[in-house]
């Protein structure tokens, strides 16, 4: 992509209303634009990042046997009445049509996936079943804040599974927890697995995946040496106590942002919708159900909170919109065009700042955008190309072929 043609270019100034790093940098660099509090457009740049996060989690969900679907966001009122959530879920948006008919906007999809699964689960041979989607959610959050960390319209990967026995559920639950940890690592995050209560519909333990960041909204106690972490709201342990898991260190208090969670839903929803199957003895039984949420858009914001500096974003290579940005200084347009075309031929995701602008402002834009590698072509460097990693101060002068080789190996 040539920056001169890019629809959303980096802005000179950050937005005035930004309360967090992700809001400030994502808007200023041109990854998102705010429509109103908690509602954002993802620009072509932002969508590239979001797609990489989506694909990372998609790969892991497919690996554990999840099958991808896309469910509607407009729901009939009756499904929400059936589960009691029409009146009890405070964030549910209620809609009335001009004919007086009422609908809900999907804030989660148990009310849709359970009747959907009821259609296809008839016998024990149809179990286990895991369906997932990557889709937008609508929530009437009291305070939509912190950029894309808390939206009123946000994206989630949500998976729902159905099992014949508690043992089979427990096996799958563990597989998904492991898959989550791998996927967080692949997008450049370390997520702590936090024990939490299962919400209002079950007394079972659920797990939240927390990333330590001051922009988060959860108070947690965590062990600095092992992965032990609990939400302070329900915690029996306190700050300064020895870690109950490893015993080596004293627990610290911190702020976390919940990037995902997994719940044992038991038989709440299958009973509400009378979803039964016939077991091997010909008896009618309710399956055990689980749900597994992952905030894809929140994940994007949390990555920016974790990896940025005073100059801008620092994307992990795996989810950067482009792997490399070419900065051509005046008089180097022809050489830059050749390099740009060669890199595209080698399938390198390359951005070229071909604008007629000062070197200083081009360097600032490259840093703000957070592209992992920067290549500078200038008359002073002759035929060699200056390579700089976003994370380093040092630069290297490399031959043309060396640059091609290095990038095509990425
Ligand atoms: P929170 O406690 O942050 O409100 P939640 O318990 O309501 O989260 P779930 O309903 O289980 O979350 O949603 C699954 C995931 O979706 C969360 O772990 C989080 O990553 C993401 N998420 C939830 N609410 C929002 C929101 N308003 N904006 C962006 N992401 C969200
Ligand atoms: Mg919530």
């Amino acid at each position: 992509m040539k920056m001169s043609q890019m629809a959303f270019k980096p802005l000179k100034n950050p937005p005035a209303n930004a309360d967090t790093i992700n809001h400030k940098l994502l808007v200023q660099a041109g990854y998102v634009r705010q429509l109103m509090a908690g509602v954002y457009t993802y620009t072509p740049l932002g969508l590239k990042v979001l797609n990489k996060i989506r694909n990372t989690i998609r790969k892991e969900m497919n690996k554990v046997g999840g099958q991808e679907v896309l469910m509607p966001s407009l729901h009939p009122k009756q499904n929400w009445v059936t589960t009691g959530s029409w009146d009890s879920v405070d964030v549910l948006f209620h809609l009335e049509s001009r004919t007086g008919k009422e609908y809900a906007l999907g804030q989660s999809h148990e009310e849709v996936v359970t009747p959907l699964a009821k259609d296809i689960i008839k016998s024990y041979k149809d179990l286990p079943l895991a369906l997932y989607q990557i889709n937008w959610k609508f929530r009437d959050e009291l305070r939509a804040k912190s950029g894309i960390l808390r939206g009123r319209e946000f994206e989630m990967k949500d998976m729902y599974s159905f099992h014949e026995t508690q043992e089979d559920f427990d096996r799958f639950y563990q597989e998904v927890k492991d898959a989550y940890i791998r996927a967080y690592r692949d997008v450049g995050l370390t997520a702590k697995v936090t024990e939490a209560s299962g919400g209002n519909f079950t007394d079972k333990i659920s797990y939240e995946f927390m990333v330590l960041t001051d922009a988060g909204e959860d108070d947690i106690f965590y062990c600095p040496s092992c992965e032990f972490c609990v939400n302070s709201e329900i915690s029996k342990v306190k700050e300064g106590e020895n870690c109950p898991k490893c015993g080596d260190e004293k627990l610290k208090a911190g702020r976390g942002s919940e990037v995902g969670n997994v719940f044992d839903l038991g038989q709440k929803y299958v009973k509400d919708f009378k979803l039964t199957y016939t077991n091997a003895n010909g008896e009618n039984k309710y399956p055990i159900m689980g749900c597994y949420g992952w905030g894809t858009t929140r994940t994007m914001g949390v990555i920016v909170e974790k990896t940025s500096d005073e100059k801008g974003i620092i994307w992990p290579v795996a989810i950067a919109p482009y792997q490399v940005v070419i900065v051509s200084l005046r008089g180097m347009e022809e050489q830059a065009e050749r390099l740009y075309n060669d890199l595209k031929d080698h399938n390198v995701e390359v951005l070229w700042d071909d604008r007629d602008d000062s070197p200083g402002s081009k360097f600032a834009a490259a840093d703000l955008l957070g592209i992992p590698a920067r290549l500078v072509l200038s008359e002073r460097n002759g035929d060699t190309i200056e390579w700089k990693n976003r994370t380093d101060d040092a630069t290297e002068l490399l031959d043309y072929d060396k640059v091609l080789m290095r990038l095509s190996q990425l």
Side-chain angles (χ1 to χ4, degrees), residues 174-305:
Q174 187 57 45
E175 282 177 25
V176 178
K177 275 166 68 184
D178 294 342
Y180 267 42
I181 294 292
R182 284 196 300 272
Y184 288 120
R185 190 201 54 211
D186 287 350
V187 298
L189 292 175
T190 304
K192 292 190 173 285
V193 188
T194 310
E195 262 188 31
S197 76
N200 42 20
F201 38 73
T202 161
D203 53 5
K204 302 198 151 114
I205 291 288
S206 69
Y207 297 93
E208 293 170 345
F209 296 79
M210 291 283 179
V211 174
L212 278 176
T213 164
D214 287 341
E217 294 180 59
D218 291 272
D219 287 308
I220 54 174
F221 297 132
Y222 68 98
C223 174
S225 83
C226 79
E227 71 276 23
F228 180 84
C229 180
V230 284
N231 203 314
S232 68
E233 272 177 33
I234 51 137
S235 172
K236 292 191 196 79
V237 296
K238 281 197 218 60
E239 182 181 8
E241 285 181 14
N242 282 340
C243 172
K245 183 152 192 197
C246 68
D248 289 350
E249 289 262 5
K250 302 218 178 305
L251 295 179
K252 284 191 165 173
R255 295 283 271 181
S257 181
E258 185 194 312
V259 286
N261 58 32
V262 294
F263 283 98
D264 179 346
L265 296 175
Q267 297 177 323
K268 150 82 183 146
Y269 292 95
V270 293
K271 284 187 172 164
D272 286 345
F273 288 100
K274 305 193 172 43
L275 188 177
T276 59
Y277 68 94
T278 317
N279 72 8
N281 302 325
E283 301 157 328
N284 271 357
K285 296 279 180 194
Y286 288 111
I288 314 273
M289 184 176 172
C291 75
Y292 316 83
W294 171 309
T296 50
T297 46
R298 182 180 286 180
T299 295
M300 179 168 160
V302 166
I303 292 168
V304 176
E305 294 293 331

Side-chain angles (χ1 to χ4, degrees), residues 139 141 149-151 154 156 258-261 263 293 295 298:
R139 289 192 186 176
E141 302 278 3
L149 298 192
R150 183 166 299 282
F154 63 94
M156 199 201 283
E258 185 194 312
V259 286
N261 58 32
F263 283 98
R298 182 180 286 180

